[in-house]
Amino acid sequence: MGEQKPLAPGEAWRAVAACVLSTFALLAQHRVRLPKERQAMRLRFADGTSAPVYRETRLGSGLAKSPCTLMVTFRLRLVHGPAHTLFRTESLLNTPLFVGFPGFTSKLWLAHDERDRYRGVYEWDGPERAVHYARSLWRVLALVSVPGSIRYAVLPGLRRDDILANPGLANGPASDDDAAWWRIQGTA
C-alpha cells in the first residue's frame, strides 16, 4: 500500500469544508440514501476479525464509472463497552464529512470488531479521488482516534459489491500481513 499519511492540514481542512457544503446541497436534493438491505450483514476479514454492517449510505445509484473499493480503519479513543452503541447512533451526524467528496458513491459502515477497530467499506469513483478523501479524512479521524490506528487501502478497478460477492477478487499474496485487516474473506 505504500506510505500512508494525511494531507497537509490546510489542504485537508479545505477539502472537508468543501465536502460539507456539497453535502448540504445533496441532502436538499434528496440524493443521499440510507438503504437497509445490508444492515446486519457480517463481514469476515483475513486477520480473523469480523464486524456487522450497521448502516449504508449511498449517493444516487451507488455505482462508479471508474470503480475502486476503499477500505478505511481506525480505533476510537475512550470508546469502550456501551459507548460503542452511542458512537454508532451519533455517527450518522458524520455523513457531511464524506458524502460531498468528489467521487463518493457508497459506504458500508461497520461496527467495531474484536479489536475495537471500525471500518468503512466504500465504492469510490476513481482511485485518486479515493486516496484524496482518505488522506483528508485522516485529519478528522486523528481528532478522535488512537494514534497509529488509521489506515486505508484502495483497490482500483474493483466494485465493492463484486468483492463482497467474490472476496477472492481482492486477495493479495497470502504472506501479506499488512493486507489482512482489509482483505474480506466472506460474509454472513
Side-chain angles (χ1 to χ4, degrees):
M1 292 291 145
E3 181 185 4
Q4 295 189 354
K5 60 184 179 180
L7 286 178
E11 184 179 0
W13 290 113
R14 280 189 298 277
V16 170
C19 169
V20 170
L21 292 175
S22 295
T23 298
F24 289 121
L26 294 168
L27 290 169
Q29 298 165 4
H30 304 286
R31 294 189 52 210
V32 179
R33 304 275 183 252
L34 299 172
K36 300 199 182 306
E37 296 86 30
R38 291 186 177 86
Q39 283 184 355
M41 171 192 286
R42 183 175 274 295
L43 301 185
R44 293 180 292 107
F45 294 90
D47 64 0
T49 63
S50 67
V53 173
Y54 69 92
R55 182 179 300 125
E56 180 176 9
T57 303
R58 189 172 66 215
L59 187 59
S61 71
L63 297 175
K65 294 176 185 164
S66 176
C68 72
T69 297
L70 168 66
M71 306 285 291
V72 174
T73 188
F74 59 93
R75 282 184 43 233
L76 292 171
R77 279 191 294 240
L78 307 173
V79 176
H80 307 285
H84 285 295
T85 302
L86 179 63
F87 171 75
R88 288 191 302 271
T89 302
E90 171 280 327
S91 66
L92 184 62
L93 300 175
N94 298 331
T95 301
L97 300 176
F98 66 87
V99 170
F101 264 90
F104 171 79
T105 60
S106 64
K107 175 184 180 180
L108 295 179
W109 306 62
L110 275 61
H112 66 288
D113 67 12
E114 296 83 356
R115 298 178 189 168
D116 282 345
R117 291 177 302 188
Y118 283 87
R119 291 180 180 96
V121 183
Y122 302 78
E123 180 159 327
W124 214 268
D125 196 351
E128 298 83 9
R129 290 171 157 181
V131 169
H132 182 262
Y133 162 73
R135 294 183 64 208
S136 298
L137 174 72
W138 195 306
R139 292 290 176 187
V140 175
L141 290 176
L143 299 173
V144 296
S145 295
V146 172
S149 70
I150 303 167
R151 299 172 76 188
Y152 65 90
V154 177
L155 311 172
L158 295 173
R159 291 194 183 281
R160 182 199 64 203
D161 290 351
D162 290 345
I163 293 171
L164 295 177
N166 183 1
L169 292 173
N171 279 350
S175 63
D176 188 358
D177 291 334
D178 192 44
W181 71 267
W182 61 260
R183 283 191 7 225
I184 297 170
Q185 297 293 293
T187 61

